[in-house]
Amino acid sequence: MITIIMAEDHQMLIDGVKSFFEYDDNINIIGTVNNGEDLVKLVSLKKPKMVITDIRMPRMDGIEATSIIKKQFPNINVLAMTMFDQPDAIKQMLDAGATGYILKNSGIKMLSKAIVAVSSGETFFDPNVAFNFMNSYIDDNITIGKTDKVVLSNREKEILHLIANGKTSKEIASDLFLAKTTIDTHRKNMIRKLNLSSGSELVKYAIDKKYQF
């Protein structure tokens, strides 16, 4: 049995996850909290097999809470479930001791896969988080989740729409008040996410999908 304590400041998300696993014979959510301080206290009291935590929470964030938990209970595995896909956020959670990182918009099936992997000692990463950063961490004991649905961020969709309208990276950067290098990075990430081979394929994809974003 995989016993879990979940920390998340949006109660609706907690209720949804609990409801999904309510009749699962292998996964048991034995406690939930809405902030990092209560997470540390409840983990000390109940000593679960693993923790699922958001990063941004009141009173104590998930990074600090993870660091404290891993120092006190190194055998408890931590899975981050968040909206942050920035490399800095990923690195801070890894440095704190998390061995899994998924995005909230990846869905409950991805969460199920992550729980099984992380609870068994593997390291699991959502396929939609910063692969360029992750490449330096990948080894034989790391699982990359697979999904049939490509998840683009709102910013990526915005840039894709501008690409479809014939805008260059320089023009997009000017329109969005961003650096050209930032737009170039978004282009590379979209090429990787969409399993394309070049910038020209990205342009073609953007035109084909122009009215879907």
Side-chain angles (χ1 to χ4, degrees), residues 88-151:
D88 286 347
I90 300 170
K91 185 177 188 305
Q92 289 181 60
M93 280 303 293
L94 292 175
D95 289 345
T99 50
Y101 199 104
I102 66 171
L103 300 181
K104 291 180 181 179
N105 61 3
S106 294
I108 199 72
K109 290 183 179 179
M110 182 69 69
L111 175 59
S112 298
K113 293 177 183 178
I115 288 172
V116 173
V118 171
S119 67
S120 63
E122 297 179 16
T123 303
F124 185 98
F125 289 106
D126 190 303
N128 292 304
V129 297
F131 265 48
N132 290 338
F133 169 83
M134 302 260 299
N135 284 339
S136 61
Y137 283 83
I138 292 175
D139 61 30
D140 292 338
N141 200 39
I142 290 182
T143 300
I144 304 296
K146 295 181 179 179
T147 179
D148 295 329
K149 181 180 179 182
V150 175
V151 179

Side-chain angles (χ1 to χ4, degrees), residues 36-37 53-66:
E37 283 187 4
T53 181
D54 194 0
I55 291 181
R56 180 180 290 172
M57 293 186 295
R59 291 166 58 182
M60 181 187 294
D61 64 34
I63 296 170
E64 184 178 355
T66 296

Side-chain angles (χ1 to χ4, degrees), residues 63-99:
I63 296 170
E64 184 178 355
T66 296
S67 181
I68 293 172
I69 290 168
K70 292 300 293 185
K71 287 177 182 176
Q72 294 180 352
F73 308 101
N75 292 328
I76 293 179
N77 297 308
V78 177
L79 169 65
M81 186 172 68
T82 177
M83 289 302 297
F84 295 107
D85 63 353
Q86 297 90 341
D88 286 347
I90 300 170
K91 185 177 188 305
Q92 289 181 60
M93 280 303 293
L94 292 175
D95 289 345
T99 50

Side-chain angles (χ1 to χ4, degrees), residues 132 155 159 168-174 176-190:
N132 290 338
R155 176 67 81 186
I159 292 171
T168 66
S169 288
K170 185 176 180 180
E171 290 170 335
I172 294 171
S174 177
L176 300 181
F177 302 101
L178 297 171
K180 178 180 177 296
T181 54
T182 300
I183 303 302
D184 289 338
T185 298
H186 279 300
R187 281 179 177 264
K188 291 177 182 177
N189 286 339
M190 284 190 285

